[in-house]
Amino acid sequence: VEYELGEEMCCNGTVQQVQEGAGNAFRCCGRAAYDTRAQGCCEYDVPSTAALRHIVTKVIDLATQTCCNATPAQAQQQYLQCCGHMSYDPRTSMCCHGRVVKGNAGHGYKCCGTESFVIGAEACCGNAVVYDPKDARCCGSKITSTRTNSHLACCGSQPYQRSSGTMCC
């Protein structure tokens, strides 16, 4: 297929118009041409059958979109970070095992599985449960209340009553 150099470009066998005088600002994204000064290219797999893969390409507007793990995603802010296939603003949110949650790791939050918790006011048990450490104790992955029993201790993953004659082996 013939095309005019400087006015057109060939992208995977398809002739595309380009802006005159743009120099080398245009690139191919699949069969489409895009301007690298304002656009990006996101390539991602779409499984069509168990044996076949289908690569999809999409031109994205860098002012409003980003590519997170090869998937187009809405850009939240200029401070954008990716969490799985989602984008988020790390000033107000954080990524906990592929899930965007409220909180900021630099401001006293920490992940507990796919949830966030406030360090000091809450604690994590079993990598999934958030509880108040003043009222409970975590033994292994089991939460036991200490409201009525302040002498409760852990023996491995089991809670036990700590007293002068009781020891943990």
Side-chain angles (χ1 to χ4, degrees), residues 67-158:
C67 208
C68 286
N69 288 335
T71 301
Q74 288 304 115
Q76 300 299 318
Q77 299 283 331
Q78 67 185 26
Y79 303 101
L80 170 77
Q81 287 186 10
C82 290
C83 178
H85 298 294
M86 302 285 295
S87 62
Y88 71 100
D89 182 348
R91 297 170 303 168
T92 58
S93 303
M94 57 195 286
C95 181
C96 292
H97 298 282
R99 186 168 173 237
V100 177
V101 294
K102 179 185 157 222
N104 177 314
H107 291 96
Y109 283 84
K110 195 171 178 180
C111 287
C112 178
T114 59
E115 300 296 323
S116 64
F117 69 96
V118 180
I119 299 168
E122 300 169 307
C124 183
C125 181
N127 205 31
V129 180
V130 177
Y131 70 99
D132 184 345
K134 293 186 304 285
D135 296 332
R137 179 175 302 269
C138 178
C139 294
S141 61
K142 201 187 279 182
I143 297 174
T144 305
S145 175
T146 56
R147 278 188 203 150
T148 57
N149 187 353
S150 62
H151 298 290
L152 197 65
C154 294
C155 185
S157 63
Q158 296 299 314

Side-chain angles (χ1 to χ4, degrees), residues 2 6 13 17 23 26 32 48 50 59 67 90 95 110-111 132 136 143 149 160 164 166 169:
E2 287 183 31
Q17 295 286 327
F26 280 81
S48 46
V59 175
C67 208
C95 181
K110 195 171 178 180
C111 287
D132 184 345
I143 297 174
N149 187 353
Y160 81 100
S164 60
T166 312
C169 177

Side-chain angles (χ1 to χ4, degrees), residues 31-90:
R31 292 183 170 195
Y34 71 100
D35 185 343
T36 59
R37 297 169 296 186
Q39 297 172 310
C41 179
C42 193
E43 286 188 350
Y44 51 104
D45 285 345
V46 176
S48 46
T49 66
L52 296 173
R53 281 182 26 194
H54 178 65
I55 304 288
V56 174
T57 54
K58 181 172 183 184
V59 175
I60 59 172
D61 178 357
L62 294 177
T64 60
Q65 293 178 299
T66 190
C67 208
C68 286
N69 288 335
T71 301
Q74 288 304 115
Q76 300 299 318
Q77 299 283 331
Q78 67 185 26
Y79 303 101
L80 170 77
Q81 287 186 10
C82 290
C83 178
H85 298 294
M86 302 285 295
S87 62
Y88 71 100
D89 182 348

